[in-house]
Amino acid sequence: MPERRNKDVQGYRYKFGVLGPSTNTIVQPDFDDLRPHGVTNHYSRIVVDNAKAVSNETFMAGAWEISHNTIDAVKGVLTCSPDYLVMGMSAVTFFGGAEGALKWRQNVEEVSGLKVSTGSEALAAALEAYGGIKKVAFFSPYYPTANAEVANFLSDYGYETVRDKPLQAPSWTAIAEIDDDKMRETFRYLDGDDVDCLIQVGTNVSGIRFCAAAEMYLGKPVIAINTATYWHALRACGVYDHVPGFGRLMAEL
């Protein structure tokens, strides 16, 4: 029987405060699908307009708007007394490489008094957990400038980006419309014998099931950012339940 950390009848093991943009419709259901019994997710929305990301500049401006509004969402979710925070937004956590990611996380931790899992650092931890990975390829709903930030972050951890694909979604909500057909087409472009691992970045893309299926037929790690982030939060809290159906990360590692 899992240890009862809380008297809460649903979140008796851990209550996660999840922080995500108000335009994001994917993180909440994805994280709920990944949660083991006794762990609950409590979503706090980072209020942001449904920006039309039609260029490098407007995408980056929109991403920084989300970043600046994060602290209000942190303060809101603290009222339910969570044990741990999980970022349901990943773009800005890649900005500035490993150092920028660390400073961004530490700022949230200082305000909240809680530990936090971010998409960027969770991805780095997932790559290390798989082991044997040197060269990667990834796609995102972002624009080229933001993809360059992801590649720079990965390089700080020693991973070479062989190929990447920015899908350039026309708005924040349109990111959630990227479907299996588009992911299949994109992974076909990205994959090759020169790639050890494929990655899907962007928390408003629901890749948790598609990436698990792709991992089986490609015979190499395929990581969805939402899977990596939630896995990291569970493991950081000492929860080692294996949840099948979402790839080796959740089922074995």
Side-chain angles (χ1 to χ4, degrees):
M1 187 71 181
E3 179 185 356
R4 286 186 170 271
R5 178 185 179 87
N6 300 308
K7 292 182 179 180
D8 189 291
V9 297
Q10 290 274 16
Y12 58 84
R13 299 171 75 184
Y14 276 91
K15 293 188 291 184
F16 285 168
V18 179
L19 308 163
S22 55
T23 52
N24 189 310
T25 56
I26 296 300
V27 164
Q28 188 170 355
D30 270 10
F31 279 9
D32 279 347
D33 286 346
L34 293 167
R35 74 179 185 91
H37 195 64
V39 178
T40 51
N41 306 316
H42 307 283
Y43 199 91
S44 185
R45 295 189 175 275
I46 304 166
V47 177
V48 61
D49 290 332
N50 184 27
K52 303 300 181 183
V54 295
S55 69
N56 279 314
E57 292 74 19
T58 55
F59 182 92
M60 296 297 282
W64 280 118
E65 180 187 0
I66 294 171
S67 178
H68 294 152
N69 293 342
T70 296
I71 298 305
D72 286 339
V74 171
K75 292 176 180 177
V77 82
L78 289 178
T79 61
C80 77
S81 299
D83 304 300
Y84 193 85
L85 298 183
V86 190
M87 290 307 306
M89 170 270 297
S90 63
V92 296
T93 72
F94 288 101
F95 294 177
E99 182 179 357
L102 175 62
K103 288 180 179 178
W104 198 94
R105 172 174 56 80
Q106 288 177 333
N107 179 56
V108 175
E109 290 180 338
E110 182 177 347
V111 170
S112 66
L114 298 173
K115 294 296 185 180
V116 185
S117 284
T118 64
S120 58
E121 292 180 331
L123 176 58
L127 289 166
E128 182 179 4
Y130 273 101
I133 296 171
K134 295 181 179 179
K135 297 183 178 182
V136 302
F138 71 88
F139 83 85
S140 79
Y142 309 155
Y143 279 68
T145 299
N147 264 31
E149 293 283 355
V150 177
N152 178 57
F153 172 88
L154 290 169
S155 71
D156 281 352
Y157 280 85
Y159 300 106
E160 176 188 348
T161 298
V162 177
R163 281 179 292 280
D164 72 279
K165 182 74 171 179
L167 295 184
Q168 303 185 55
S171 70
W172 295 140
T173 54
I175 295 172
E177 299 168 9
I178 295 171
D179 59 14
D180 288 356
D181 287 341
K182 187 63 177 179
M183 286 191 279
R184 185 180 301 109
E185 171 192 330
T186 304
F187 274 151
R188 283 173 176 163
Y189 163 76
L190 293 173
D191 192 28
D193 293 338
D194 54 348
V195 172
D196 302 319
C197 174
L198 296 172
I199 301 166
Q200 171 262 307
V201 178
T203 63
N204 207 22
V205 177
S206 188
I208 62 174
R209 289 179 176 81
F210 186 89
C211 289
E215 188 171 76
M216 292 180 67
Y217 71 76
L218 292 176
K220 64 178 66 175
V222 182
I223 302 174
I225 191 75
N226 286 348
T227 304
T229 305
Y230 202 78
W231 165 85
H232 184 270
L234 291 172
R235 301 303 183 256
C237 291
V239 178
Y240 290 94
D241 298 43
H242 289 157
V243 181
F246 302 103
R248 285 185 57 211
L249 201 59
M250 288 293 291
E252 301 176 17
L253 303 177

